[in-house]
Short mmCIF file of all heavy atoms in Angstrom, two decimals:
data_model
loop_
_atom_site.label_atom_id
_atom_site.label_comp_id
_atom_site.label_asym_id
_atom_site.label_seq_id
_atom_site.Cartn_x
_atom_site.Cartn_y
_atom_site.Cartn_z
N CYS B 98 8.37 2.76 0.89
CA CYS B 98 8.39 3.64 2.04
C CYS B 98 7.12 4.49 1.99
O CYS B 98 6.77 5.01 0.92
CB CYS B 98 9.64 4.53 1.94
SG CYS B 98 9.59 6.04 2.88
N LEU B 99 6.42 4.58 3.10
CA LEU B 99 5.17 5.35 3.12
C LEU B 99 5.17 6.23 4.36
O LEU B 99 5.45 5.77 5.46
CB LEU B 99 3.98 4.40 3.14
CG LEU B 99 2.59 5.05 3.05
CD1 LEU B 99 2.42 5.71 1.70
CD2 LEU B 99 1.52 4.00 3.27
N VAL B 100 4.84 7.47 4.13
CA VAL B 100 4.79 8.41 5.24
C VAL B 100 3.34 8.70 5.58
O VAL B 100 2.53 8.95 4.69
CB VAL B 100 5.53 9.71 4.89
CG1 VAL B 100 5.38 10.73 5.99
CG2 VAL B 100 6.99 9.42 4.63
N GLY B 101 3.03 8.66 6.83
CA GLY B 101 1.67 8.86 7.30
C GLY B 101 1.12 10.21 6.88
O GLY B 101 1.78 11.23 7.00
N ALA B 102 -0.10 10.20 6.38
CA ALA B 102 -0.71 11.44 5.87
C ALA B 102 -1.56 12.05 6.97
O ALA B 102 -2.77 11.87 7.00
CB ALA B 102 -1.53 11.12 4.64
N SER B 103 -0.93 12.77 7.85
CA SER B 103 -1.63 13.35 9.00
C SER B 103 -2.83 14.18 8.57
O SER B 103 -2.75 15.01 7.69
CB SER B 103 -0.67 14.26 9.77
OG SER B 103 0.35 13.52 10.35
N GLY B 104 -3.96 13.92 9.21
CA GLY B 104 -5.14 14.71 8.92
C GLY B 104 -6.02 14.12 7.84
O GLY B 104 -7.20 13.90 8.06
N THR B 105 -5.45 13.83 6.68
CA THR B 105 -6.28 13.34 5.58
C THR B 105 -6.30 11.82 5.49
O THR B 105 -7.25 11.25 4.98
CB THR B 105 -5.78 13.86 4.22
OG1 THR B 105 -4.51 13.27 3.91
CG2 THR B 105 -5.66 15.37 4.23
N TYR B 106 -5.22 11.18 5.94
CA TYR B 106 -5.07 9.73 5.80
C TYR B 106 -5.19 9.30 4.34
O TYR B 106 -5.66 8.20 4.06
CB TYR B 106 -6.07 9.00 6.69
CG TYR B 106 -5.92 9.39 8.14
CD1 TYR B 106 -6.96 10.00 8.82
CD2 TYR B 106 -4.72 9.19 8.81
CE1 TYR B 106 -6.82 10.38 10.14
CE2 TYR B 106 -4.57 9.56 10.13
CZ TYR B 106 -5.62 10.16 10.80
OH TYR B 106 -5.47 10.54 12.10
N LYS B 107 -4.73 10.14 3.46
CA LYS B 107 -4.75 9.84 2.03
C LYS B 107 -3.36 9.35 1.67
O LYS B 107 -2.47 10.14 1.37
CB LYS B 107 -5.11 11.10 1.26
CG LYS B 107 -5.33 10.94 -0.22
CD LYS B 107 -5.81 12.26 -0.82
CE LYS B 107 -6.08 12.16 -2.29
NZ LYS B 107 -6.60 13.44 -2.83
N TYR B 108 -3.16 8.05 1.70
CA TYR B 108 -1.83 7.47 1.55
C TYR B 108 -1.47 7.27 0.09
O TYR B 108 -2.08 6.47 -0.62
CB TYR B 108 -1.75 6.13 2.29
CG TYR B 108 -1.86 6.30 3.79
CD1 TYR B 108 -3.06 6.06 4.45
CD2 TYR B 108 -0.76 6.70 4.54
CE1 TYR B 108 -3.16 6.22 5.82
CE2 TYR B 108 -0.86 6.85 5.91
CZ TYR B 108 -2.06 6.61 6.55
OH TYR B 108 -2.16 6.77 7.89
N ILE B 109 -0.44 8.01 -0.34
CA ILE B 109 0.05 7.93 -1.71
C ILE B 109 1.40 7.23 -1.70
O ILE B 109 2.35 7.68 -1.05
CB ILE B 109 0.21 9.34 -2.32
CG1 ILE B 109 -1.11 10.10 -2.25
CG2 ILE B 109 0.71 9.24 -3.76
CD1 ILE B 109 -2.24 9.50 -3.03
N PHE B 110 1.47 6.13 -2.42
CA PHE B 110 2.73 5.39 -2.49
C PHE B 110 3.65 5.96 -3.56
O PHE B 110 3.19 6.46 -4.59
CB PHE B 110 2.45 3.92 -2.83
CG PHE B 110 1.99 3.11 -1.66
CD1 PHE B 110 0.67 3.14 -1.25
CD2 PHE B 110 2.88 2.30 -0.96
CE1 PHE B 110 0.24 2.40 -0.16
CE2 PHE B 110 2.47 1.55 0.12
CZ PHE B 110 1.14 1.60 0.53
N GLY B 111 4.92 5.87 -3.29
CA GLY B 111 5.91 6.19 -4.29
C GLY B 111 6.16 5.00 -5.19
O GLY B 111 5.41 4.02 -5.17
N THR B 112 7.25 5.06 -5.95
CA THR B 112 7.54 4.01 -6.93
C THR B 112 8.03 2.73 -6.29
O THR B 112 7.96 1.67 -6.89
CB THR B 112 8.60 4.48 -7.92
OG1 THR B 112 9.76 4.85 -7.19
CG2 THR B 112 8.09 5.68 -8.72
N GLY B 113 8.55 2.83 -5.08
CA GLY B 113 9.12 1.66 -4.44
C GLY B 113 10.50 1.34 -4.98
O GLY B 113 10.94 1.87 -6.01
N THR B 114 11.21 0.45 -4.28
CA THR B 114 12.53 -0.01 -4.69
C THR B 114 12.46 -1.50 -4.97
O THR B 114 12.10 -2.28 -4.08
CB THR B 114 13.58 0.26 -3.60
OG1 THR B 114 13.68 1.66 -3.37
CG2 THR B 114 14.95 -0.30 -4.02
N ARG B 115 12.83 -1.87 -6.17
CA ARG B 115 12.83 -3.28 -6.54
C ARG B 115 14.18 -3.88 -6.16
O ARG B 115 15.20 -3.59 -6.78
CB ARG B 115 12.58 -3.42 -8.04
CG ARG B 115 12.31 -4.83 -8.52
CD ARG B 115 11.89 -4.82 -9.99
NE ARG B 115 10.65 -4.07 -10.18
CZ ARG B 115 9.43 -4.59 -10.05
NH1 ARG B 115 9.29 -5.87 -9.75
NH2 ARG B 115 8.36 -3.85 -10.25
N LEU B 116 14.19 -4.71 -5.14
CA LEU B 116 15.41 -5.36 -4.68
C LEU B 116 15.52 -6.75 -5.28
O LEU B 116 14.60 -7.56 -5.16
CB LEU B 116 15.43 -5.46 -3.15
CG LEU B 116 16.57 -6.27 -2.55
CD1 LEU B 116 17.91 -5.59 -2.80
CD2 LEU B 116 16.36 -6.50 -1.05
N LYS B 117 16.65 -7.01 -5.88
CA LYS B 117 16.91 -8.33 -6.43
C LYS B 117 18.12 -8.90 -5.69
O LYS B 117 19.19 -8.30 -5.68
CB LYS B 117 17.19 -8.27 -7.92
CG LYS B 117 17.37 -9.63 -8.57
CD LYS B 117 17.50 -9.49 -10.09
CE LYS B 117 17.61 -10.84 -10.76
NZ LYS B 117 17.72 -10.71 -12.24
#
Side-chain angles (χ1 to χ4, degrees):
Chain B
C98 159
L99 185 65
V100 175
S103 294
T105 68
Y106 303 119
K107 187 175 181 177
Y108 293 100
I109 304 297
F110 281 81
T112 57
T114 298
R115 190 173 298 274
L116 173 66
K117 185 174 183 179

